[in-house]
DNA sequence: CCATCAACTGAGCATATGTTCATGTATACT
DNA sequence: AGTATACATGAACATATGCTCAGTTGATGG
């Protein structure tokens, strides 16, 4: 038989903690946006793009060469990164040159890499 | 007609940059793991779990109450977070109590939140 | 003006992901 | 032992995601 509620029966297990934590939590909107931000970092192609931009500004074409992928695929991913304000771009003739938005992004990448290499 | 190669025709657009960056890039393995790490942060439910654990250790039951979700759903997500060594746990009777692994995780969450609130 | 190239975009498709449901496991209590 | 509770897990299903393909836009140069 299935449970009516798949949560704890005995009121709260640690109700004091739960209530206190609940009062300190960020808004759901902020946390949703935070998840969207990390989601943008959470793809092989996109981290490789971002990691490359750590060293130098690059155009779509450069990135396609560097990652050995179609420029269409790169462009699609850059769109995601632009959407989350992780990269910015400037036009240079036919080329569009991308850079990381700010130091936050760099810090996130570095902290993440440090964690991976522990 | 479709292009034979959907990359730039004129050798490299900025071949010096591309070559130099290529030599500085982390291994694909590391970057793949980095993407997996961020992917684990990249879900509403999981960031809410992590954000909650920022304030206090909590058992599965607490988290289910706090996020108003089934303990099964929480458990599945905690599995992902354990897999990436983002949370650790200890048993306390029938309960399993979760905490963030280390300060790296906290830093990542804080940097991310700061970016979201710019 | 026309051709070429870098970049962007929408549709389509195969794969990945998150939740529910049902069941399994471990611990505590009588 | 038997029951109840907390947690974990596998299957199934609906949705999300990343790439390719085809076509479009905008800039450059003959």
């Amino acid at each position: 038989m299935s449970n009516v509620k798949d949560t704890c029966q005995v009121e709260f297990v640690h109700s004091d903690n739960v209530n206190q934590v609940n009062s300190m939590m960020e808004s759901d909107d902020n946390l949703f946006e935070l998840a969207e931000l990390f989601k943008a970092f959470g793809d092989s192609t996109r981290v490789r793009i971002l990691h490359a931009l750590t060293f130098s500004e690059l155009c779509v074409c450069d990135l396609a060469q560097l990652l050995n992928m179609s420029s269409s695929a790169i462009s699609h991913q850059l769109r995601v990164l632009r959407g989350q304000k992780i990269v910015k771009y400037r036009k240079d003739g036919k080329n569009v040159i991308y850079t990381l938005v700010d130091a936050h992004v760099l810090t996130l990448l570095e902290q993440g890499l440090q964690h991976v290499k522990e």
Side-chain angles (χ1 to χ4, degrees), chain A:
Chain A
M1 81 203 90
S2 67
N3 295 333
V4 177
K5 263 201 169 180
D6 193 8
T7 50
C8 309
Q9 316 296 355
V10 282
E11 9 173 348
F12 292 179
V13 177
H14 307 101
S15 73
D16 46 345
N17 259 356
V18 171
N19 289 330
Q20 195 174 358
V21 170
N22 190 46
S23 71
M24 300 170 87
M25 295 273 286
E26 291 282 336
S27 72
D28 278 2
D29 276 1
N30 277 345
L31 294 175
F32 179 82
E33 279 309 314
L34 183 55
E36 293 301 304
L37 176 67
F38 283 126
K39 198 175 293 183
F41 282 83
D43 172 76
S44 277
T45 300
R46 291 193 295 268
V47 272
R48 289 196 298 155
I49 290 174
L50 294 173
H51 185 244
L53 293 178
T54 286
F55 302 113
S56 169
E57 60 178 23
L58 293 164
C59 69
V60 177
C61 207
D62 293 340
L63 286 164
Q65 289 278 356
L66 189 61
L67 307 190
N68 196 30
M69 293 180 65
S70 73
S71 61
S72 174
I74 300 292
S75 205
H76 275 295
Q77 299 307 339
L78 284 169
R79 183 178 156 81
V80 175
L81 295 172
R82 287 197 314 264
Q84 290 299 318
K85 307 224 190 301
I86 296 170
V87 300
K88 60 179 192 284
Y89 63 95
R90 69 168 201 278
K91 305 201 72 172
D92 177 31
K94 278 187 292 188
N95 296 324
V96 177
I97 298 179
Y98 283 85
T99 48
L100 300 182
V101 156
D102 60 21
H104 273 163
V105 178
L106 205 63
T107 305
L108 281 167
L109 288 169
E110 282 170 359
Q111 282 288 317
L113 256 180
Q114 230 175 309
H115 184 94
V116 165
K117 296 198 202 169
E118 99 287 25

